[in-house]
Structures are given as C-alpha cells and as structure tokens.
Amino acid sequence: MRYQGHLMLGVACWGVYAPLVNQYQSEIVIEPLKWALALPVVAIASLLPDIDHPDSKLGRRIRPISNIIAIFSHRGITHSLWAVMFMMWLLVGYSANSVFTQALIVGYMSHLLGDAVTPAGVRLFWPLGRAQRVGVPQGILMLLTIFLCFRWM
C-alpha cells in the first residue's frame, strides 16, 4: 500500500475509533478539538511501520535510522505485533488514556491492517511463520480486537 492509502486509512480508523470510545467508555471522552489535534499523530503513526524501508516517505526523511532498521527487512519487525506491544508497553505506563497515545496506536495499527489486506500480507509474529494475508472483514475484526484489548489495559 502506498503512503497516501496509509494516511487515508489511518484517519478513517481514527474517525471510527474516537466515537466508539466516546460511546462505550464513559470515563474517557475524546473531545472534537483533541480529536482534530491528534490527526497529525495519527498521520505520522500510519506511516511509521514503513520506517524499515529507506525509500518510504518517512524513511527518506530519517534515512540513517531507516537504514539501520532495514537490516531486519521490509515488513519485518516494524510490521509485527511485537512492535505494537513494545510501543504499548512504553506508552501505557505514560498514559493509556491520553488522546495522543491512543492516536499513535490507532495510526500504527491501521498501517498493519492496510498491509495485511495486500497480496504480500504481513508477518504479525515476525520472525516466526510466514506472511499472512487477511481479507478485509478479518482485518477489521483483528483491528477491533486489538483496539479493545488496548482499551482495557
């Protein structure tokens, strides 16, 4: 998937996620202003997994870091659930209820969803197993499951 698709998918997922949180999590409300201020976080996070490719939109901007991560291969560790769990471990201690933390996770996960529905798929448990391709319904179900798990951490 190209970067424009990842950006659009990230914003769309954020547009679905925030109202769901507002409806079902009474102690957390994502106000419209905070929702809008979090859009740049979602946009950057939706491109973040491709940092493992030096020619990606984000990889070109921070090429030294991208070159180091590229050693693990494109769609390797940054496209796995290990990266998501590590990021959640770092951020949940900071503030799981922060709108910006949630935006970062939603943007990152939207990228994985976008790549999971392409023919190349993703290796969610990299380096174990082979790349898995999922259909759109299964991908959406996977994304919602992970979002819900994140909400109750």
Side-chain angles (χ1 to χ4, degrees), residues 16-36:
V16 170
Y17 175 80
L20 285 174
V21 167
N22 288 345
Q23 184 173 356
Y24 295 108
Q25 296 287 323
S26 58
E27 71 277 1
I28 302 167
V29 175
I30 300 176
E31 300 161 356
L33 179 61
K34 286 185 178 179
W35 181 88

Side-chain angles (χ1 to χ4, degrees), residues 87-108:
M87 185 170 37
M88 288 171 66
W89 176 73
L90 287 176
L91 296 173
V92 168
Y94 167 68
S95 178
N97 293 334
S98 164
V99 172
F100 300 104
T101 299
Q102 294 175 56
L104 186 69
I105 298 294
V106 169
Y108 201 96

Side-chain angles (χ1 to χ4, degrees), residues 7 10-12 14-15 32-46 99-100 103:
L7 287 172
V11 170
W14 182 240
L33 179 61
K34 286 185 178 179
W35 181 88
L37 290 173
L39 282 173
V41 175
V42 172
I44 292 168
S46 70
V99 172
F100 300 104

Side-chain angles (χ1 to χ4, degrees), residues 113-136:
L113 172 65
D115 282 351
V117 299
T118 64
V122 292
R123 293 173 66 185
L124 290 177
F125 297 102
W126 179 93
L128 308 172
R130 57 189 172 98
Q132 298 295 314
R133 181 181 181 276
V134 297
V136 173

